């Protein structure tokens, strides 16, 4: 078995990416401190044709060298917008028919492995601060809280890892239904 060269991967050009049909997933970053995590979320969003990223609160915005270092150009492909207040944003998204899902450990959370996305629905996946998680007022206002099952001794995953796990899971389930 031979590893493929980048030139053999048949990836979209920037223009093709922008013109392509997007996965009905929106990422909301709620007060993310790490610029490397932000860049990583951009790269994951590019990989799975995510509709848009909202950068909220203290979350830094491109252009920034530390975001660029992990984003590897995906800040040029994935649509993004800065919104100061996460709660106002999710209320706006809900008014537009978007189902808001806080990714958090909470009472009565739905485990990711049992979550089944509906077809013809756009989902906003809200990822929280590296220390405090998704703000409680945002969790309380969300349509659903999704928890990533964990079986070891630690209580959380890195935000960029959480994003990768959740986006892949939801993307895969949506692809199965289409």
């Amino acid at each position: 078995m031979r590893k493929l060269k980048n030139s053999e991967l048949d990836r979209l050009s920037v223009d093709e990416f922008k013109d392509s049909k997007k996965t009905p997933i929106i990422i909301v970053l709620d007060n993310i401190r790490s610029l490397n995590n932000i860049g990583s979320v951009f790269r994951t969003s590019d990989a799975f044709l995510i509709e848009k990223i909202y950068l909220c609160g203290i979350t830094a915005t491109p252009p920034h060298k530390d975001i660029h270092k992990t984003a590897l150009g995906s800040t040029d492909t994935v649509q993004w917008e800065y919104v100061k207040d996460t709660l106002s944003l999710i209320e706006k998204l809900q008014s537009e028919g978007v189902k808001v899902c806080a990714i958090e450990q909470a009472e009565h959370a739905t485990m990711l492995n049992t979550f089944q996305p509906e077809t013809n629905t756009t989902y906003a996946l809200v990822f929280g601060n590296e220390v405090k998680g998704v703000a409680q007022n945002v969790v309380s206002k969300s349509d659903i809280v999704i928890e990533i099952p964990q079986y070891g001794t630690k209580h959380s995953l890195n935000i960029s890892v959480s994003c990768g796990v959740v986006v892949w899971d939801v993307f895969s389930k949506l692809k199965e239904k289409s």
Side-chain angles (χ1 to χ4, degrees):
M1 195 173 309
R2 177 184 66 81
K3 286 175 40 174
L4 296 175
K5 298 175 185 173
N6 284 349
S7 60
E8 296 176 286
L9 294 177
D10 194 33
R11 297 291 190 240
L12 299 175
S13 70
V14 171
D15 289 336
E16 289 170 331
F17 181 94
K18 289 180 177 182
D19 291 340
S20 66
K21 184 176 189 281
K22 301 297 185 286
T23 306
I25 297 173
I26 295 166
I27 304 292
V28 177
L29 298 183
D30 181 29
N31 292 299
I32 303 303
R33 298 176 312 157
S34 166
L35 296 132
N36 290 325
N37 282 339
I38 297 164
S40 182
V41 169
F42 267 94
R43 204 153 105 210
T44 297
S45 297
D46 178 277
F48 298 108
L49 290 168
I50 297 307
E51 199 172 292
K52 188 172 187 175
I53 299 174
Y54 284 98
L55 308 167
C56 301
I58 66 166
T59 307
T61 61
H64 192 286
K65 67 180 176 70
D66 289 333
I67 293 174
H68 180 71
K69 183 167 70 173
T70 50
L72 295 178
S74 56
T75 56
D76 297 330
T77 55
V78 179
Q79 184 181 2
W80 64 272
E81 180 179 339
Y82 175 79
V83 175
K84 183 177 174 95
D85 185 60
T86 308
L87 186 59
S88 299
L89 170 65
I90 67 163
E91 289 171 343
K92 175 184 173 283
L93 291 171
Q94 287 170 323
S95 75
E96 295 170 356
V98 174
K99 188 165 275 194
V100 175
C101 307
I103 311 305
E104 189 56 84
Q105 297 163 330
E107 295 173 328
H108 312 294
T110 299
M111 291 297 155
L112 179 61
N113 53 309
T114 63
F115 173 69
Q116 288 300 318
E118 302 166 12
T119 55
N120 302 315
T121 302
T122 299
Y123 290 91
L125 306 175
V126 184
F127 296 90
N129 179 279
E130 293 88 343
V131 175
K132 297 181 180 182
V134 178
Q136 182 61 58
N137 63 347
V138 174
V139 170
S140 297
K141 189 68 176 169
S142 295
D143 297 304
I144 187 169
V145 177
I146 298 173
E147 182 176 337
I148 301 169
Q150 297 174 58
Y151 304 101
T153 62
K154 299 303 168 199
H155 301 290
S156 65
L157 296 168
N158 176 284
I159 188 281
S160 64
V161 171
S162 294
C163 182
V165 167
V166 174
V167 168
W168 167 247
D169 185 81
V170 175
F171 175 86
S172 297
K173 290 171 180 173
L174 287 169
K175 282 291 185 195
E176 286 176 7
K177 293 179 179 203
S178 64

